[in-house]
Amino acid sequence: GAFAAALPGPSNAFGMRPRDVPLLGGGAQGGWAALDVMGEGADAMVRFTCLQGTVLLATILASRMGQGALVANHVLLLGWMLTSFVIDGVANVAGLTVMNLLSLRAFNYLRSYCRWLILGGVAVGAACGACLWYFEGSVVMLLLHSPPMQPLAGCWTLLCAMQVINAIVFTYDGLLVASAEFAFSRNSLVSGFVLVFLPALVIGYFVAGSLYAIWVAMTLFNAWRAFASLYKVHRVLWPMWQEGFMV
């Protein structure tokens, strides 16, 4: 994949392109490499569409619940994105380190590093959630002069709790990117969007009819992503990595 091309050494044990093979060279190899890059770009576009689709649909339905619910939804989205930048930044840097460890075939160090990375990601997520919970009043008043307290009731606690789930998602996204698992990331988001988010959103809006129910759908969507990433990394990639390093 495109990310694997940046590794400082060959990684044939993982099905990656050796560095001495030009990414966009001439002949058949160059053509297949170009198609590979285009396919990964399409995977990223589908992922982006699913992620933006969840935010867009949640905002549309919140707007139909009144001005207070729409404003509260906007505040929740700002709080969500604020912590995602912190967690996602850690995951991106860690993903680059994991790619280097894969290229160096340092499996024992990689396993230890990933354990600390996962624990660190969860700790950062928990810390972000705790800060949001403790400074709820200050954060809300910073964003709004007169906050809509009724629509926010319960939603802010849910936002704080889901930071740990978000941390797992973003951290494991970094591991999946390091492994060039773009197609899997696409499939997990599409399946979560269709099988989990949309049904939960419909039930939350038409049955419960509350902003809290909409954000439960958002939480379930990320919980699905976390479960899929955990399974992929620990049940599929770890054995494959270990076998590749032992060849």
Side-chain angles (χ1 to χ4, degrees):
F3 277 86
L7 296 178
S11 302
N12 287 332
F14 311 103
M16 299 178 181
R17 179 182 62 82
R19 186 176 180 177
D20 56 355
V21 176
L23 178 61
L24 296 177
Q29 283 184 329
W32 285 113
L35 290 176
D36 187 39
V37 172
M38 293 174 62
E40 291 170 356
D43 292 338
M45 182 176 64
V46 173
R47 292 180 70 253
F48 178 81
T49 301
C50 289
L51 289 173
Q52 292 301 311
T54 59
V55 176
L56 178 62
L57 290 175
T59 302
I60 291 175
L61 295 184
S63 67
R64 296 175 179 270
M65 296 179 181
Q67 181 179 3
L70 179 60
V71 173
N73 184 72
H74 183 65
V75 172
L76 293 169
L77 287 175
L78 288 176
W80 188 17
M81 290 186 291
L82 178 65
T83 54
S84 70
F85 290 138
V86 177
I87 302 170
D88 205 17
V90 174
N92 286 337
V93 174
L96 295 175
T97 304
V98 170
M99 281 194 288
N100 287 328
L101 293 176
L102 283 172
S103 68
L104 295 173
R105 305 172 68 85
F107 179 71
N108 290 331
Y109 186 77
L110 171 67
R111 181 166 52 185
S112 175
Y113 179 82
C114 286
R115 286 172 178 168
W116 282 106
L117 171 63
I118 293 165
L119 290 175
V122 172
V124 171
C128 289
C131 288
L132 284 175
W133 176 79
Y134 185 78
F135 296 105
E136 174 185 359
S138 301
V139 173
V140 174
M141 290 303 299
L142 178 66
L143 300 174
L144 295 173
H145 176 67
S146 179
M149 298 309 297
Q150 185 60 33
L152 272 175
C155 293
W156 194 265
T157 302
L158 181 63
L159 174 69
C160 298
M162 70 186 297
Q163 295 310 312
V164 175
I165 298 177
N166 290 350
I168 295 175
V169 169
F170 296 139
T171 302
Y172 275 76
D173 273 350
L175 297 179
L176 293 173
V177 167
S179 309
E181 292 289 341
F182 304 107
F184 171 81
S185 296
R186 175 204 64 203
N187 293 338
S188 66
L189 264 92
V190 171
S191 60
F193 184 81
V194 175
L195 300 177
V196 177
F197 176 74
L198 287 180
L201 189 68
V202 170
I203 295 173
Y205 178 73
F206 289 101
V207 178
S210 66
L211 184 63
Y212 181 83
I214 291 178
W215 274 83
V216 167
M218 299 273 284
T219 304
L220 291 176
F221 175 64
N222 267 11
W224 170 275
R225 294 175 60 195
F227 173 79
S229 299
L230 285 166
Y231 179 84
K232 180 67 174 181
V233 170
H234 291 280
R235 306 296 293 182
V236 178
L237 291 181
W238 276 116
M240 184 185 70
W241 288 347
Q242 188 172 18
E243 181 180 355
F245 284 122
M246 293 175 63
V247 172

